[in-house]
Amino acid sequence: MKAVQITEAGKVQVADIVKPTLGVGEILLRIKYVGFCGSDLNTYLGRNPMVKMPVIPGHEVGAVIEEIGEGVPVGFEKGMNVTVNPYTNCGKCASCRNGRVNACEHNETLGVQRNGSMQEFLVLPWTKVIPAAGLSDKECALIEPMSVGFHAVSRAQVTDIDTVAVIGCGMIGLGAIVRASLRGARVIAMDIDDEKLELAKRLGASMVINSKTENVVERVRELTDGYMADVVIEAVGSPVTYVTAIDIVAFTGRVACIGYAKSEVAFQTKYFVQKELDIRGSRNAMPEDFRAVIHYLQNGNCPMNELISAVVKPEEAGEALQKWSENPGKVFRMLVEF
């Protein structure tokens, strides 16, 4: 069967690999669409230290159930549109013991620490297959990245009395904007691209800031009557945005960090103490986050086509990654169609 492989930095090929066999408690999926994530772009650029080449990328999946193995419980049917939970959890580490399996110390995400889903067929345990009734196979490929943003909102314990600033309006940041808005919060969206900010407004942001052309701290102060943001969600992962998050969060506020900077960040740590901040990491997503995204998409209010920058064939995957690397700020999600 056909599979996309990143063989080394800057090189992508379509390989012919063996079709997986079905075991007890497993489901065979026919892959329809797989989204390229920022981690896949970093792999292509040779900047992902967790990846061992060659690797099949991809963990944002829209698929159809092809075959069901023995021992799979009722609720799964051939032909059903599904997405997948692409993370593993060991069940024994501190995170798993505390019920936060999304942050498993020994997690292996599809397409990162193990081969991913960018292939014609994929076999997974039934526990990692998530039915998505009423959604198209293309919509299913958007569920996982949005769920990461949804999870950050849960980590930040956002409520309807909060003003939430989301730094970065990529796919994950947009997920955070949607979820915070659904919880009744006032949302300030920040990005350097006006097109992304316009989309953020349609997805629930009531205020926007172009951090390239505006003074972010002064604008947040103005928009919050001087109180600053109760919650800041960092969805970029750069030293500048991390420092900005601390600058614009209110006294006794919460900061949820999704992105992580690839270099050291210099903080004025006095703000951690003076503001008595809660600074929380946010990693991957929990099953309830997937369910919440599915519920949101089922309502039909998401401008799905605006979130998909391109749909390409497997043979075009390398060219698509190269174009994305040349202009990363203009891409929401690129899907590979099988």
Side-chain angles (χ1 to χ4, degrees), residues 7-250:
T7 57
E8 59 182 278
K11 292 191 177 181
V12 179
Q13 70 176 16
V14 178
D16 185 22
I17 65 172
V18 177
K19 182 179 176 180
T21 56
L22 191 62
V24 175
E26 294 181 332
I27 294 176
L28 175 67
L29 302 178
R30 178 183 291 273
I31 301 299
K32 304 294 286 186
Y33 294 94
V34 182
F36 270 126
C37 175
S39 63
D40 299 319
L41 179 60
N42 281 328
T43 299
Y44 172 76
L45 295 172
R47 299 174 184 170
N48 194 337
M50 294 181 287
V51 171
K52 184 178 180 180
M53 305 283 198
V55 67
I56 298 172
H59 57 260
E60 303 172 0
V61 181
V64 175
I65 293 179
E66 182 78 5
E67 191 175 345
I68 299 171
E70 294 182 10
V72 174
V74 174
F76 298 94
E77 298 177 5
K78 187 175 180 179
M80 178 182 285
N81 284 350
V82 298
T83 190
V84 307
N85 183 329
Y87 326 120
T88 63
N89 55 284
C90 69
K92 299 178 180 179
C93 70
S95 301
C96 291
R97 189 171 62 178
N98 291 330
R100 289 161 65 176
V101 295
N102 60 297
C104 174
E105 181 180 355
H106 306 292
N107 167 65
E108 293 185 347
T109 298
L110 286 172
V112 185
Q113 294 93 344
R114 56 184 172 139
N115 276 327
S117 58
M118 211 163 278
Q119 52 188 294
E120 291 182 277
F121 294 93
L122 183 69
V123 165
L124 287 174
W126 69 265
T127 54
K128 298 298 182 181
V129 178
I130 304 173
L135 299 185
S136 69
D137 44 22
K138 188 180 289 185
E139 287 174 308
C140 287
L142 301 180
I143 293 171
E144 192 275 342
M146 291 196 79
S147 73
V148 177
F150 272 47
H151 182 67
V153 171
S154 295
R155 286 285 292 140
Q157 297 178 298
V158 171
T159 72
D160 59 350
I161 63 171
D162 288 322
T163 296
V164 179
V166 179
I167 304 176
C169 295
M171 193 68 184
I172 291 172
L174 290 177
I177 289 167
V178 168
R179 188 56 165 163
S181 177
L182 289 172
R183 289 191 174 197
R186 294 171 69 238
V187 181
I188 304 171
M190 293 173 46
D191 202 276
I192 60 174
D193 187 280
D194 286 330
E195 290 181 20
K196 288 185 175 181
L197 292 172
E198 283 300 316
L199 183 54
K201 285 195 285 188
R202 292 200 291 281
L203 289 173
S206 53
M207 299 159 282
V208 298
I209 299 172
N210 187 318
S211 55
K212 190 175 182 179
T213 61
E214 301 178 78
N215 185 310
V216 172
V217 175
E218 291 304 316
R219 282 290 287 145
V220 172
R221 182 174 289 113
E222 176 186 333
L223 294 171
T224 60
D225 296 325
Y227 288 103
M228 308 307 281
D230 303 292
V231 173
V232 179
I233 295 176
E234 199 289 328
V236 176
S238 78
V240 171
T241 52
Y242 261 81
V243 172
T244 297
I246 302 303
D247 288 341
I248 66 174
V249 70

